[in-house]
Amino acid sequence: MEMIPYLAGGSAIAALLLAVFFYKNVAAASPGDDRMIFLMTEIQKGARAFLKKEYTWVAFFIGALAIILAIVITPLASVTYVLGALLSAGAGYVGMTVATMANARTAEAAKQGPGKALPIAFRGGAVMGFTVAGLALLGLVAIYLVFVTWMEVDDAFEIVTAFGLGASSIALFSRVGGGIYTKAADVGADLVGKVEAGIPEDDPRNPATIADNVGDNVGDVAGMGADLFESYAGSIIAPISLVAFAMGLSADKAGATELVQNGGYSTIALLMFPLAIAFVGMVASIFGSFFVRGGDSTDSHALSRALHMGTNVAMAITAIATVALSYWMFGDSDKPWGMAVAVVGGLLVGWALGKTAEYYTSDQYPTVKKIAKQSETGPATTVLAGISAGMVSVASSVVLILVGVGLAYWGGEQALGNVAGGVPGGIYGIAMAAVGMLATTGVVVSVDAYGPISDNAGGIAEMAHLDPSVRKVTDALDSLGNTTAAIAKGFAVGSAALTALALFKSFEYAVLDASGADKIALNLNVGDVEVFVGLFIGAGLPFLFAALTIDAVGRAANKMIEEVRRQFREIPGLREGKEGVIPDSARCVAISTEASLREMIIPGSLAVVVPLAVGFVSVDALGGLLAGALVTGFALAIFMSNAGGAWDNAKKYIEAGAHGGKGSDPHKAAVVGDTVGDPFKDTSGPAMNILIKVMTIVSLVFASAFV
């Protein structure tokens, strides 16, 4: 078992090498003519400029929190915190850079049909996917080996946990800032261009088109990558921290091989099992990525089967390997299969959450068609139908997550017992279910990042005046991309619920351990006033966070709308498309950049400031806060992501020719619905799962300071 971290580290390096291979594969493809290369370069320049400014702004926050960690916890915690932030930011930058290379190449390949275009878009996304998974796992393994195994430093597990906090910090600001950017540009482009001016989506006459395409990369690629980086790292950290705090482990006891209370497991088995699952999941993802091949059909079912083949293969391999690992590592237990049940159960529930999202957001199913039908009676009924769909999807997802929790808890208890050796078997099972859910992160992120690349490819096809057949191919790929994005968000928020629960339990043990001889246990009795107050604060926080981010998109979009209207009004011949007349796209890029960076500060800071403020006043109130935020945050995340995805694909369904097609009144109503849904699915919704985990992991890291 001592070799598991080295095997996990090796698989992480293999993932990074695969990312290099896919990068070279994408770079070798033709980017098209001079016009396409110019558009690709402009999008890339805008995305790089935004990320540079965003990371500069966030660096001040990272630096301030690193200083606090060094003073309150330990200087080494600040080191791992900064490392987590740097690796997360680096993964986002690499992924964004390659995505902006792949867009023009996908558009060029689309001239030969989806069979050529889909693999390029996927491989462009795969660079992001395997960079995210590879850097997250490699960073975590390196920290574990250095501080736990080799140096055996004091507070080693707090130091490991701080790595997750660093990743969470970048993820939160990247999701919020990138989400505000992309939706401000998208809303401005759609409302003025498609509704007021009556010009097609991504028309080169629209000044906001370039900004919209830049936004796809900074929000849906870099932001999404940071999100899944944080989710993946956090899921592995959760069971490790649970074991460490529950057993009061010091680094020198982490390698204990003796059986705990004859429970059939050892300390090292508990600590190494998450890394072992991460190892087999990474290998499976690498193998599965080579099964994604395009066909000749633009049918959404055919494209979906081709794209998801890699994920399905990776999941199957991971499930089989998990069973083998469970029997090997917990073979002395009477029921070692219990751990396999927990992990595979988490994997299947993640898949089911993704399929639920697909059902509510794909135009192949009744929900999207119903919203499209409601567009015939105007924007109001369109919006109402989308809200209803999002709410119904919450109910389905809650049932699934409860099934996952119940199955994982039962499996963990079967393998480890109820509370054997200080480790609650059921909670450990839930933590491992989150690891299982994200074990195939490499290929899941690859499929998700494929979407923005396809969207950009469609924009370049329109702006470069390519044959309409090219746009037909890219639109088919883009429509599928909206669904894959919803699926990835389902994985992320599902794992967030399970991970947050495990981290919450770790927080309980950390409080008990930090209290020393006093043995102060966390009070979670809702009849206690402090807990009750904290519960309501926590329940209200996701709503406040959503309101702030949606309002931020509205304010930024308003400035974009005014600018687009001004240019149509003041630049002669722009609206008519006269030869040689071009919009001032740089001004629109600057508006989105400035607005998003300014607007991200307050909502991003809430996730850290509020739990710290409450924790220093009352640790019991903090416990209530975390519980309230977990429940409402999960529900809001599902509602917003699925409602937004449904509105978006209802619009695309109409644009494909249903209910009057482009330019019809139902189309205009659907555009309004999509505009409402944009901040739901790409700004507020995806940030919810990060909000949940940031507050929980902040509480865990600072637990010793609260008591």
Side-chain angles (χ1 to χ4, degrees):
M1 292 187 193
E2 292 84 355
M3 291 299 298
I4 288 175
Y6 300 96
L7 291 172
S11 71
I13 294 171
L16 294 174
L17 292 174
L18 182 64
V20 173
F21 171 78
F22 281 138
Y23 165 76
K24 291 181 177 180
N25 192 276
V26 171
S30 172
D33 57 34
D34 290 343
R35 174 65 176 167
M36 295 170 69
I37 293 172
F38 168 77
L39 293 168
M40 176 188 71
T41 304
E42 287 298 297
I43 294 169
Q44 192 168 71
K45 283 166 52 180
R48 282 177 171 170
F50 172 81
L51 283 190
K52 183 179 179 180
K53 287 186 178 180
E54 181 184 54
Y55 291 160
T56 301
W57 282 46
V58 175
F60 290 101
F61 177 88
I62 299 295
L65 194 53
I67 293 171
I68 295 172
L69 279 168
I71 296 171
V72 178
I73 308 301
T74 172
L76 289 176
S78 66
V79 172
T80 58
Y81 169 74
V82 172
L83 179 62
L86 288 174
L87 290 180
S88 179
Y93 189 85
V94 169
M96 180 277 301
T97 299
V98 178
T100 53
M101 288 173 50
N103 50 18
R105 289 166 169 83
T106 300
E108 178 67 13
K111 295 177 180 178
Q112 304 175 59
K116 297 292 184 181
L118 187 146
I120 291 179
F122 172 77
R123 288 164 189 165
V127 175
M128 179 69 171
F130 288 100
T131 300
V132 164
L135 286 179
L137 185 56
L138 187 62
L140 191 54
V141 166
I143 288 170
Y144 189 94
L145 287 173
V146 170
F147 296 111
V148 180
T149 304
W150 298 340
M151 297 177 62
E152 296 185 352
V153 301
D154 294 335
D155 302 318
F157 291 100
E158 287 185 337
I159 294 167
V160 171
T161 305
F163 177 85
L165 180 58
S168 297
S169 299
I170 290 292
L172 186 63
F173 285 105
S174 292
R175 262 302 193 188
V176 173
I180 294 171
Y181 182 109
T182 184
K183 294 305 108 179
D186 199 2
V187 169
D190 281 357
L191 286 183
V192 183
K194 296 167 78 171
V195 177
E196 294 183 10
I199 61 178
E201 186 171 8
D202 298 315
D203 194 290
R205 292 171 289 175
N206 195 327
T209 295
I210 292 292
D212 185 13
N213 282 272
V214 170
D216 290 338
N217 292 284
V218 300
D220 298 336
V221 177
M224 177 274 300
D227 182 354
L228 270 298
F229 183 105
E230 178 269 341
S231 296
Y232 184 59
S235 70
I236 298 170
I237 289 170
I240 292 174
S241 65
L242 176 67
V243 173
F245 289 112
M247 300 182 71
L249 285 183
S250 56
D252 62 321
K253 297 179 180 178
T257 57
E258 66 271 10
L259 296 183
V260 178
Q261 291 188 359
N262 298 315
Y265 64 91
S266 59
T267 301
I268 193 171
L270 294 172
L271 292 172
M272 291 297 103
F273 193 53
L275 292 175
I277 298 298
F279 162 66
V280 299
M282 188 74 78
V283 174
S285 295
I286 293 171
F287 191 71
S289 68
F290 291 98
F291 281 80
V292 178
R293 299 183 179 91
D296 296 325
S297 174
T298 57
D299 176 71
S300 60
H301 278 302
L303 291 172
S304 181
R305 282 195 301 271
L307 189 60
H308 290 302
M309 180 59 70
T311 305
N312 295 336
V313 169
M315 287 177 61
I317 295 172
T318 302
I320 295 169
T322 295
V323 175
L325 281 173
S326 298
Y327 275 89
W328 174 53
M329 299 183 73
F330 299 97
D332 291 318
S333 170
D334 292 335
K335 301 173 181 176
W337 48 263
M339 292 314 305
V341 168
V343 176
V344 176
L347 185 66
L348 292 176
V349 168
W351 174 84
L353 284 169
K355 287 298 178 182
T356 300
E358 182 177 10
Y359 177 82
Y360 287 104
T361 60
S362 172
D363 62 10
Q364 295 298 307
Y365 298 101
T367 300
V368 168
K369 293 178 180 179
K370 177 186 174 183
I371 295 172
K373 176 68 175 177
Q374 293 284 51
S375 298
E376 292 182 351
T377 51
T381 49
T382 305
V383 170
L384 288 173
I387 290 173
S388 173
M391 288 182 173
V392 170
S393 74
V394 172
S396 306
S397 299
V398 166
V399 171
L400 284 173
I401 205 70
L402 290 179
V403 169
V405 167
L407 194 63
Y409 190 90
W410 177 77
E413 280 199 333
Q414 292 300 306
L416 307 182
N418 187 16
V419 182
V423 181
I427 302 297
Y428 183 82
I430 292 171
M432 287 307 308
V435 178
M437 197 174 285
L438 292 177
T440 56
T441 289
V443 72
V444 169
V445 176
S446 302
V447 170
D448 191 4
Y450 144 94
I453 294 172
S454 301
D455 192 2
N456 265 208
I460 289 174
E462 187 74 39
M463 290 185 282
H465 304 293
L466 300 184
D467 189 88
S469 62
V470 176
R471 187 62 197 255
K472 182 180 179 181
V473 172
T474 59
D475 278 353
L477 297 178
D478 181 30
S479 181
L480 177 59
N482 285 322
T483 301
T484 60
I487 291 172
K489 290 166 187 172
F491 271 93
V493 72
S495 68
L498 300 180
T499 300
L501 178 57
L503 290 172
F504 183 80
K505 196 67 179 179
S506 299
F507 171 64
E508 283 190 58
Y509 287 119
V511 169
L512 185 64
D513 184 60
S515 64
D518 295 332
K519 294 296 178 184
I520 301 173
L522 188 67
N523 176 21
L524 294 176
N525 181 5
V526 294
D528 184 271
V529 167
E530 291 182 1
V531 178
F532 189 79
V533 169
L535 189 67
F536 267 77
I537 294 173
L541 264 180
F543 289 92
L544 176 61
F545 185 85
L548 289 171
T549 49
I550 290 172
D551 202 32
V553 170
R555 285 193 296 270
N558 187 59
K559 294 179 180 178
M560 185 67 70
I561 290 169
E562 290 177 355
E563 177 61 21
V564 175
R565 286 172 174 169
R566 183 194 69 77
Q567 293 195 32
F568 276 139
R569 185 174 60 250
E570 297 181 5
I571 300 177
L574 178 61
R575 188 164 183 167
E576 294 77 18
K578 287 186 178 180
E579 188 72 26
V581 179
I582 59 173
D584 184 5
S585 299
R587 178 58 190 151
C588 292
V589 170
I591 287 173
S592 264
T593 299
E594 294 165 5
S596 60
L597 293 177
R598 185 174 58 252
E599 298 283 2
M600 75 178 184
I601 299 299
I602 294 177
S605 301
L606 273 177
V608 175
V609 173
V610 173
L612 287 178
V614 173
F616 282 113
V617 174
S618 170
V619 72
D620 292 336
L622 179 57
L625 181 149
L626 296 176
L630 171 60
V631 174
T632 58
F634 173 82
L636 269 178
I638 294 291
F639 161 66
M640 288 184 164
S641 294
N642 289 345
W647 275 314
D648 195 348
N649 276 340
K651 177 199 70 176
K652 286 183 168 61
Y653 181 68
I654 294 174
E655 288 177 344
H659 305 289
K662 291 183 180 180
S664 64
D665 286 339
H667 179 235
K668 291 179 180 178
V671 170
V672 173
D674 179 36
T675 303
V676 174
D678 274 338
F680 275 40
K681 70 180 176 68
D682 291 325
T683 307
S684 304
M688 283 297 164
N689 67 294
I690 308 172
L691 176 72
I692 295 167
K693 283 180 289 186
V694 166
M695 290 196 298
T696 310
I697 204 165
V698 163
S699 302
L700 175 58
V701 171
F702 284 91
S704 59
F706 296 147
V707 179

